[in-house]
Amino acid sequence: MNKMQNKNWWDGSVIYQLIPRSFSDGNGDGIGDFKGLTNKISYLKWLGIDIIWLNPIYPSPLTDGGYDITDFKNIHPDLGDLSSFHRFITVAHEHKIKVILDLVINHTSYLHPWFQRARWAPKGSPEREVYVWSDDPNKYKDAPILFKKFESSNWEWDEEAKQYYFHRYLRQQPDLNYENPWVQKQILEVISFWIGKGVDGFRLDAVPFLFEKENSRCEGLPETHGFLKKIRKHIDKEEKNIFLLAEAIQSVKDTRQYIATDELHSAFNFELTAYLFAAIANGKVNNVKNCLNDSQKAISESSWTMPLRNHDELWLGDGNLIPQHVIQTICTGLPQGMGHWLNWGINRRLAPLLNGDARPNKLLHAVLYSLPGIPCIYYGDEIGMGDWVGLRDRDANRTPMAWTPERNGGFSSAPEPLLVLPSITSPGYNYRVINVEVQKTLPGSLLNWHKRMILCRKHLPALSNGDFHLLETNHPSILAFTRSNKTMNILIAANFSRTGTSFYIDLSNWGNIRTREVIWGSEFPHTSKNWFCYLPPYGFNWWLLGEVDK
Ligand code: NOJ
């Protein structure tokens, strides 16, 4: 079906997302920083990941976890400075790991000098027009409110300006006015600045919302695509092979619009994420299959980036991403998510959401490691880290990485009350047990499983660049497909049922050839029209097809 080849450096990569202030503290002040992160690059190399995605690193009052920037061309002092960033990126590159930055282009902090200048500038002046102002708070009333827990309007009255300003997120995050060429120029300059500092790409935050138009949801307008195309042209001019990844929490159909040879290279497939959780919730893969078909039809290359969880709530939307009844399925089928709804989804980390069960956790990751696209792992999920329910906003999912059984999980030598967020001590997830050091020593740990899967994926290039074909089975819980390139054919089957399952896969297209299970090398029966198979609860397997007898 697809003609995939690894033509870009990011094809076939695995992304590791981390929050620098929660990852590793190098100076003992209780807050993660670039010094600490640099010391951990060898761990990330050991794990086998290819790209580090850094959550926002810029100066910010941190009202929204750094997605409220006050200076686009600097480093938050808690994390270090430009020279510690330089040291970090140099070491990452020495380890052949690429670095992409989270860049927030839709809005700034209200404390950004541009906004403070805008409020004081006369109405209609160029300085004022850097943001979106109105005398009427009913303008753009069809634009949904995104942070429903915190805001009841997309407009905020400014006493100084004597006007309302527009903010799709918090009132502390005024939207930039992209109608203004000056704004566009500044953002392009920011991109050049960081390219000059050696970064390999950008995760562009909230891309759908750059422009506004009356009688629309103000999402993905043609003008927005126009500016994203300008960004692409701008980076192509620099000839540095920069990777552009879109964050657009929309359906495959809408998100697909951002990926183009003259726009962005990749986008998160949040629809697939939601359907994967639905499949765990009710043991049925039909929606996953349809979504995979749609995703492949939409882009016949391995361009989707595939997360399970990230630093936000597990976004399920208001019916615009997946239908309401599927949202219901997820909410009732994953009881650990109940009572944790925030804004548009479930505010829990992966392991606790799955009730600490490593089997569905591995299954979901295994599916990501097998699909065309770029798997995206959220820091801590590789060890099944827990969350701290009850912390403010989405902080429950952003607590310090657990490195060792020592104090503060080895994250920091600071006294505990100084930590950026508390280390996880909840039953079953206590850092004394769930941490990198302990799991490294246990051959059967989740961490060692990830390492082995990432390694196998590298040794089986068809998993990153092979064509993708869904297969028919006789069981609603089984997802089966093949990945094939010129040198190998891999059969993948995943059981989303909580019970062991026997089933048949239609392998009639393959005739009668040899099958060999990848991880242990066990021989299975030759392929046939109804190929019989058994998988344990949430079981999963890779087989090589059609190997020549040695
Ligand atoms: C999406 C980010 O993932 C989220 O954390 C942030 O709050 C919003 N964009 C606003 O920047």
Side-chain angles (χ1 to χ4, degrees), residues 63 292 539:
T63 313
L292 285 172

Side-chain angles (χ1 to χ4, degrees), residues 442-497:
L442 301 174
S445 67
L446 188 59
L447 179 62
N448 278 316
W449 177 86
H450 274 281
K451 180 178 164 55
R452 197 163 55 244
M453 292 295 282
I454 296 173
L455 190 70
C456 282
R457 190 171 183 272
K458 291 225 158 89
H459 288 164
L460 298 170
L463 290 179
S464 38
N465 65 15
D467 290 354
F468 169 82
H469 287 277
L470 274 173
L471 295 168
E472 289 304 320
T473 80
N474 70 337
H475 200 288
S477 300
I478 302 296
L479 178 69
F481 52 94
T482 53
R483 304 293 314 277
S484 306
N485 67 10
K486 280 198 193 111
T487 53
M488 65 178 72
N489 303 296
I490 302 167
L491 166 64
I492 293 107
N495 177 16
F496 280 77
S497 166

Side-chain angles (χ1 to χ4, degrees), residues 73-107:
K73 297 183 184 166
N74 222 326
I75 301 287
H76 195 293
D78 288 350
L79 307 180
D81 55 19
L82 282 168
S83 63
S84 50
F85 176 77
H86 175 73
R87 166 111 190 95
F88 154 71
I89 201 162
T90 309
V91 176
H93 286 165
E94 278 165 11
H95 285 76
K96 308 243 170 317
I97 292 178
K98 306 273 189 186
V99 175
I100 66 176
L101 295 191
D102 216 317
L103 190 59
V104 189
I105 59 177
N106 176 66
H107 46 267

Side-chain angles (χ1 to χ4, degrees), residues 217-236:
R217 285 173 66 100
C218 300
E219 287 175 18
L221 294 171
E223 293 81 356
T224 293
H225 287 287
F227 181 64
L228 294 174
K229 287 185 164 63
K230 263 192 201 163
I231 294 187
R232 174 63 178 271
K233 219 178 187 165
H234 185 74
I235 62 133
D236 282 351

Side-chain angles (χ1 to χ4, degrees), residues 173-193:
Q173 293 167 296
D175 274 35
L176 285 163
N177 174 16
Y178 275 87
E179 300 281 0
N180 183 342
W182 185 87
V183 169
Q184 299 195 8
K185 186 162 164 276
Q186 300 310 306
I187 294 301
L188 294 179
E189 270 177 37
V190 168
I191 288 175
S192 294
F193 175 84

Side-chain angles (χ1 to χ4, degrees), residues 64 67 107 147 169 173 203 205 247 311-312 394 398:
D64 180 15
Y67 288 90
H107 46 267
F147 280 165
Y169 293 92
Q173 293 167 296
R203 177 246 190 213
D205 184 68
E247 190 236 9
H311 60 293
D312 291 327
R394 289 148 291 170
R398 302 173 177 181

